[in-house]
Structures are given as C-alpha cells and as structure tokens.
Amino acid sequence: MLTLYSYWRSSASYRVRIALNLKGLDYRIVPIHLLRDGGEQNAPAYRALNPQGRVPLLVDGELRCAQSLAIIDYLDARYPAPRLIPAEPVQRAPVLAFAQAIVADIQPLQNTGTLNYLRDTLGLDDAGRGAWLRHFIDRVLAGLEAEAAARPRMPFLFGDAPTLADCVLVPQLYAAARFGCDLARYPVLARVAAHCGTLPAFQRAHPAQQPDAE
C-alpha cells in the first residue's frame, strides 16, 4: 500500500490526496504536524526519510518521492488511469503552466517558514503578514482567472475531466480563503472549484476529513 506523509492543512499534501483519490488508489496517511514541538518535519526520524523536511512525501515500495508535482507525475506514470497530466504536448503545456503558477509563485510565500520569517525576523504583525500574503496570492490568481475566463466554459479547468490543474486549484482557493482573500474576484476559478467539490475524490481529500484535522 502507498504511504503518504501529510499535514491536514498543507496545500501540497491536499493536492496529492486529490490525485490519489481520483486514481482510486489505496493509501495510508502518516500525519506530520508542521507546528507541534517546533514542527515534526524537523524531527530526525522524518529527516532521515525526507531530508528536505517538508510534506508531502510519498512512499511506494523502495521509492521515496518528495514535492507534490513530482509525486503526481510519478502517479501518472505508474498508475496512468485516469491521466491527470495530458500526454499530448499542446494539451500538456497549459495544464502544467497553470499548476506551476500556483506551485512556484504562490506556494513558497504561504508556507509556514516564510510567514514565520516575516513575523520573527522582519517584525510584521498578523495584519501586516496577511496584507503581504494577499497581495501576492491575488496577483497570481487574477492572471489565472483571466486565462480561465478566456477559454470556453467547461466543467473543469481544461475540459470534461479533472487534471493536475484542478488538483492544484482547489487547495489554493481553500488556502486563499483562509488567508482572507476575496474569492468573489475569481468567479470562474470559484465555479470550477465548487464543481470539483461535488466529487467524492475531492471531498475525501478535504482538510476537514483528514485524521489529523484540528
């Protein structure tokens, strides 16, 4: 059975849970609390498994794979039905571009380490950190909303079936709402995310449904 080291509120863990569920794979979750006791991701036992000290981490037999996009790419290659990253280059490129805009341009800024640095080193209070973070989240989501609005209306971001892009979108909008962003500014993205939320694979992956949810 696959093992996923995960934190209930981690966007990166959330997107991998969605992918695993869409593929109908059996997996067990090992919770890694990112805040308790200085962060369980920093414990020697976990660092021995994942020297990067982050979640998620997927273990499949002898494989230990970190980084959510690498995990989902592995799952697509190892368990190809249904595909989440299109094989055809013209279809593949925009799906990856959408996902990477969130993973590269937003995700690092909303991580616990970044927010703690803003507080502990730069002295920003909660209001200042929130304003700083919303500025960057909104800037990226505004571009993605414009791109999505320019395409024909579809149930999912890139057609009639979910892709990697939807796996990444839903956790990001969950995080954006948690950080106080106004999702009404992104009606197309919000509509797609709401549709995804009607599917059991997305519902089971939701943070509130995780064994370590608080």
Side-chain angles (χ1 to χ4, degrees):
M1 179 182 291
L2 299 166
T3 299
L4 181 67
Y5 291 81
S6 170
Y7 178 58
W8 68 285
R9 207 163 60 182
S10 157
S11 296
S13 300
Y14 190 175
R15 64 180 74 117
V16 172
R17 295 194 301 262
I18 294 170
L20 287 163
N21 293 342
L22 286 171
K23 290 178 176 293
L25 297 172
D26 290 330
Y27 64 99
R28 71 182 184 103
I29 286 180
V30 177
I32 300 294
H33 201 294
L34 300 184
L35 303 177
R36 183 181 299 136
D37 299 328
E40 292 178 352
Q41 72 276 18
N42 298 315
Y46 185 67
R47 287 282 180 150
L49 285 173
N50 182 10
Q52 294 182 25
R54 296 185 181 277
V55 293
L57 175 73
L58 181 76
V59 177
D60 186 8
E62 296 300 314
L63 175 79
R64 297 173 184 172
C65 186
Q67 297 294 334
S68 61
L69 261 60
I71 293 171
I72 296 173
D73 182 66
Y74 168 76
L75 293 174
D76 246 16
R78 180 76 172 84
Y79 309 98
R83 284 199 67 90
L84 299 176
I85 305 173
E88 198 281 319
V90 173
Q91 297 176 358
R92 180 183 183 89
V95 169
L96 286 172
F98 185 99
Q100 288 174 356
I102 290 175
V103 172
D105 294 343
I106 297 179
Q107 180 74 47
L109 302 179
Q110 67 187 25
N111 280 346
T112 302
T114 302
L115 297 178
N116 287 347
Y117 182 85
L118 291 173
R119 180 192 63 203
D120 300 337
T121 303
L122 300 185
L124 288 184
D125 60 13
D126 287 346
R129 289 191 304 158
W132 182 90
L133 184 54
R134 285 189 295 273
H135 167 78
F136 289 105
I137 292 176
D138 284 330
R139 185 173 68 175
V140 176
L141 290 183
L144 296 177
E145 172 71 17
E147 291 178 2
R151 293 191 291 270
R153 184 185 176 102
M154 298 173 284
F156 300 96
L157 284 168
F158 291 95
D160 294 327
T163 66
L164 169 68
D166 304 283
C167 295
V168 172
L169 171 67
V170 169
Q172 183 53 58
L173 290 194
Y174 170 84
R178 184 163 64 90
F179 291 121
C181 294
D182 179 10
L183 299 189
R185 298 174 60 183
Y186 315 112
V188 176
L189 300 182
R191 173 182 57 78
V192 171
H195 178 66
C196 290
T198 66
L199 302 183
F202 286 83
Q203 294 169 357
R204 292 197 303 272
H206 192 279
Q209 301 304 313
Q210 303 315 300
D212 54 333
E214 297 176 358

